[in-house]
């Protein structure tokens, strides 16, 4: 059964609106400032996890002791 032109035009218009919405969302998501802010927020949250935080403190302490040991020799 052939479709009438009005239904085809409505489908095209709906597809066009969905595409425009998707493009707008991609534009917002790929904004460099937003990417930097999101990455920064994610990294801070990850570094504030106890396992990561205490691991970095331990690595820093060991590195500091090794540098001090080398300097005193």
């Amino acid at each position: 059964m052939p479709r009438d032109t009005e239904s085809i035009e409505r489908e095209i218009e709906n597809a066009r609106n969905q595409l425009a919405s998707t493009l707008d969302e991609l534009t917002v998501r790929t904004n460099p400032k937003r990417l930097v802010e999101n990455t920064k927020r994610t990294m801070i949250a990850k570094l504030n996890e106890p396992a990561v935080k205490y691991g970095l403190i331990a690595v820093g302490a060991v590195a500091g002791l090794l540098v001090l040991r080398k300097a005193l020799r």
Side-chain angles (χ1 to χ4, degrees):
M1 173 160 54
R3 298 185 320 187
D4 62 347
T5 56
E6 288 181 14
S7 69
I8 294 172
E9 288 175 357
R10 276 194 306 270
E11 288 177 13
I12 291 171
E13 186 63 29
N14 287 338
R16 185 179 294 134
N17 289 336
Q18 286 177 343
L19 180 59
S21 175
T22 301
L23 288 174
D24 289 343
E25 185 176 341
L26 287 173
T27 300
V28 169
R29 284 185 180 185
T30 58
N31 181 338
K33 287 183 181 181
R34 183 179 291 283
L35 288 173
V36 169
E37 289 172 9
N38 287 343
T39 303
K40 182 179 168 184
R41 192 176 309 118
T42 303
M43 290 302 296
I44 289 172
K46 189 59 119 174
L47 290 174
N48 282 329
E49 290 180 6
V52 175
K53 184 189 297 187
Y54 297 132
L56 288 175
I57 290 171
V59 168
V62 169
L65 288 174
L66 291 175
V67 168
L68 184 62
R69 181 178 171 201
K70 180 119 178 155
L72 293 176
R73 281 189 165 190

